[in-house]
Amino acid sequence: MLSRSQAPVLDDDPFDPEVLVDPYPFHQRMRDAGPVVFLARYGVWAMARHAEVANALSDWETFSSAAGVGLADFRKEPAWRRPSLLLEADPPAHTAVRKPVLHLMTPKTVQGLRAAFEAAAEELGEELVARREFDAVADLAEVYPIRVFADAVGLPEEGRGPLLRYAGMVFNAFGPRNPLFEAAFAEAAPVLEWITAACQRDALAPGGLGAQIWEAVDRGDITADQAPLLVRSLLSAGLDTTIFGLGNAVFCLATNPEQYDLLHADPGLARAAFEESLRYEAPVQTFFRTTTRPVDVEGTVIPSDAKVLLFMGSANRDPRRWGDDANRYDIRRRTPGHLAFGAGIHVCVGQFISRLEGEVVLAALARRARRLDLAADPVAKPNNTLKGFRHLPVRVTAGPS
Ligand code: OVV
């Protein structure tokens, strides 16, 4: 019978920091090895081609999220926090809570955030371009989402400090208990205490997304027990993803000057430039699923109850889907079908907020700077799930042309 002996077996450690900061050669080897591979080091299966990753993401009945979307199997070991009601759940429980959250973040409702997000981007762009040199991570990517998104959620300005440490825990915890995981969880207790308090009703400013989640309790759409966990999802998923994403977008533009020229000539391309950076350097590189039955994927049978690692960052560069120039950053490319936001029932609920942030930040830079260049070598920031930079020193040249 078909068994894992039929799937190519790879010894690579996808969570080795060296692989995490430059995963693309490994991705290509996985894609070329076959539609499904077995990663012997962790005893998990993996898919790295676009078609198979997209199919798995779209088949929640076979590829379940309820056992967690990290390496740990929640049915075999306790989760480090109460599982997310959105990310780490299947229908029907998932459907019930997703609906009220989705309602707050439709393209239409997100338009209500645009004026404030634009004003904050213009102000930051003005300040940074005046400085000529800045760190696009410390001075831009780590500043802007905290300012606008934490504001939008209604988190008080004082005491946002632990936000990034919490995000570091969330995204490293999807991987194995390697040094990245351990470092993120050094002194975890005060961070866990803080996040729990930050999600309570009385901690959230009226009118914000957090308060609106609590209002869904008043309407009877969700329970009072669910509300803090849904607020926690916003704070878990909404900061580090856009932080890494904004850094990656600046990196793409700084290292592809002809693409930056196009953007400077037409800042209306900012949304497309951000979208292509999501394809090209996906902030969320991987998530696991857990099989609920034996499943035949292109002739390879993955057994039931198996962890399967899905490589969205690889699918996004699969030449089978994107053609021979898959490895080129091209802001005029047709990007629909990229998997940086996932696909299927779990597709990123905050994607329109994310795109708004990317668009207004890139447009603010593009209108003010005629050149954007690296000022020194970037420093990558290894993370068990996210791909991005710790430092990204850039130099901008002000002026119209
Ligand atoms: C998409 C995502 C990433 C991390 C955490 C969560 C969601 C959550 O719901 O907690």
Side-chain angles (χ1 to χ4, degrees):
M1 261 314 290
L2 297 173
S3 71
R4 89 175 171 220
S5 61
Q6 289 221 329
V9 178
L10 277 73
D11 295 326
D12 303 70
D13 180 359
F15 300 103
D16 179 327
E18 284 186 28
V19 177
L20 291 168
V21 303
D22 180 20
Y24 300 119
F26 170 55
H27 288 174
Q28 183 173 349
R29 279 192 288 114
M30 277 192 296
R31 290 192 304 260
D32 291 346
V36 183
V37 302
F38 187 75
L39 301 177
R41 192 168 173 121
Y42 297 106
V44 302
W45 304 75
M47 302 183 204
R49 294 184 185 173
H50 184 278
E52 283 72 29
V53 175
N55 285 342
L57 289 170
S58 303
D59 181 2
W60 60 266
E61 287 168 293
T62 305
F63 296 95
S64 166
S65 293
V69 298
L71 177 62
D73 186 332
F74 292 176
R75 296 163 313 177
K76 297 177 185 160
E77 51 187 301
W80 67 274
R81 54 173 196 168
R82 284 181 69 190
S84 165
L85 303 179
L86 283 166
L87 181 73
E88 295 153 340
D90 291 337
H94 169 266
T95 321
V97 293
R98 174 152 172 127
K99 200 177 278 173
V101 175
L102 194 58
H103 180 73
L104 305 177
M105 303 182 188
T106 61
K108 209 169 154 182
T109 50
V110 164
Q111 286 305 319
L113 300 172
R114 177 173 281 271
F117 279 40
E118 236 163 30
E122 292 297 309
E123 188 186 332
L124 187 58
E126 188 71 28
E127 178 200 322
L128 292 175
V129 174
R131 276 174 53 181
R132 300 288 186 266
E133 279 196 29
F134 57 93
D135 183 337
V137 172
D139 303 325
L140 174 64
E142 289 185 352
V143 169
Y144 183 77
I146 295 204
R147 212 170 267 174
V148 299
F149 186 69
D151 260 6
V153 172
L155 213 60
E157 242 170 87
E158 66 284 359
R160 288 178 185 180
L163 256 183
L164 293 190
R165 283 184 51 210
Y166 184 67
M169 292 162 64
V170 168
F171 286 99
N172 280 301
F174 295 123
R177 289 195 171 258
N178 59 10
L180 288 169
F181 186 124
E182 300 297 345
F185 278 76
E187 296 178 77
V191 183
L192 293 174
E193 231 172 273
W194 171 84
I195 188 72
T196 304
C199 297
Q200 303 308 309
R201 188 164 204 167
D202 60 7
L204 296 158
L209 297 171
Q212 293 181 65
I213 284 178
W214 276 97
E215 284 163 22
V217 177
D218 303 337
R219 290 194 303 271
D221 293 343
I222 58 171
T223 68
D225 184 56
Q226 292 172 325
L229 285 182
L230 295 176
V231 177
R232 194 192 69 179
S233 279
L234 300 190
L235 297 177
S236 301
L239 272 314
D240 244 14
T241 47
T242 45
I243 289 170
F244 279 63
L246 286 173
N248 291 349
V250 172
F251 173 78
C252 289
L253 290 163
T255 52
N256 292 276
E258 79 294 345
Q259 298 296 310
Y260 188 77
D261 288 346
L262 291 171
L263 176 60
H264 176 65
D266 179 6
L269 290 169
R271 203 171 170 93
F274 184 64
E275 200 73 26
E276 168 70 347
S277 75
L278 292 174
R279 181 196 71 85
Y280 186 78
E281 294 282 6
V284 176
Q285 284 279 310
T286 51
F287 272 137
F288 286 86
R289 293 292 190 259
T290 309
T291 53
T292 57
R293 62 175 177 92
V295 53
D296 184 326
V297 177
E298 297 293 310
T300 302
V301 176
I302 305 176
S304 190
D305 298 309
K307 282 278 177 179
V308 183
L309 186 52
L310 303 178
F311 284 83
M312 288 81 80
S314 169
N316 280 359
R317 290 183 181 224
D318 184 355
R320 295 162 190 79
R321 169 64 180 75
W322 304 99
D324 288 343
D325 72 342
N327 276 306
R328 214 172 81 77
Y329 177 69
D330 172 8
I331 71 175
R332 293 183 291 191
R333 183 192 303 272
R334 278 182 290 162
T335 52
H338 80 67
L339 299 176
F341 289 124
I345 63 166
H346 288 282
V347 70
C348 179
V349 71
Q351 58 180 293
F352 299 103
I353 298 180
S354 164
R355 290 193 177 104
L356 175 61
E357 291 182 41
E359 176 193 338
V360 297
V361 166
L362 295 186
L365 290 177
R367 276 198 292 270
R368 287 173 176 81
R370 74 180 143 85
R371 285 196 60 96
L372 169 66
D373 298 287
L374 292 181
D377 286 341
V379 180
K381 182 172 182 172
N383 178 294
N384 281 333
T385 303
L386 302 172
K387 183 169 190 298
F389 296 93
R390 192 188 307 283
H391 295 294
L392 184 58
V394 296
R395 181 180 305 117
V396 292
T397 312
S401 61

